[in-house]
Amino acid sequence: MVHLLAQGDKYGYEMLSRLHAAFPDSRESAAYALLRELSKNGLAQRYQGEVSEGSARKYYHLTEAGHQHHETLLVQWRALRRALEELGIE
């Protein structure tokens, strides 16, 4: 979710659709709980967007702290990938 938000503001259902395409067993409730937690921890902000079919979309925006967290996660991911490659796992 943090990586998706690092690419730009997104509304909840848009992120859920992309997440579900990559991970078909992902649960909507877990995704929205994660978005709430990101907001609660100051890593993302939620705001009302355009109205679509009767209800306003809730958009999420990564804060500066969220962008910093994203960079930290990328460093950790790259280190993990290098370690796996050294073990012959690709």
Side-chain angles (χ1 to χ4, degrees):
M1 296 296 242
V2 173
H3 186 69
L4 291 175
L5 286 173
Q7 299 167 11
D9 293 10
K10 306 256 184 309
Y11 64 97
Y13 184 76
E14 177 184 11
M15 287 186 286
L16 184 62
S17 296
R18 291 191 61 192
L19 185 66
H20 191 68
F23 303 99
D25 292 336
S26 59
R27 302 264 185 225
E28 182 176 331
S29 59
Y32 284 110
L34 180 55
L35 287 170
R36 282 191 302 275
E37 193 67 21
L38 290 171
S39 295
K40 178 181 165 187
N41 291 329
L43 302 175
Q45 291 178 331
R46 188 178 83 175
Y47 64 93
Q48 294 289 109
E50 61 193 58
V51 174
S52 174
E53 298 182 26
S55 60
R57 292 179 174 174
K58 294 175 183 80
Y59 281 82
Y60 293 85
H61 168 81
L62 211 55
T63 64
E64 184 58 37
H67 282 287
Q68 291 172 1
H69 183 64
H70 178 248
E71 287 302 317
T72 299
L73 292 174
L74 285 177
V75 167
Q76 292 172 349
W77 171 249
R78 290 177 185 129
L80 175 61
R81 285 189 63 196
R82 278 192 303 277
L84 291 172
E85 287 171 4
E86 288 175 10
L87 292 172
I89 302 170
E90 294 185 36

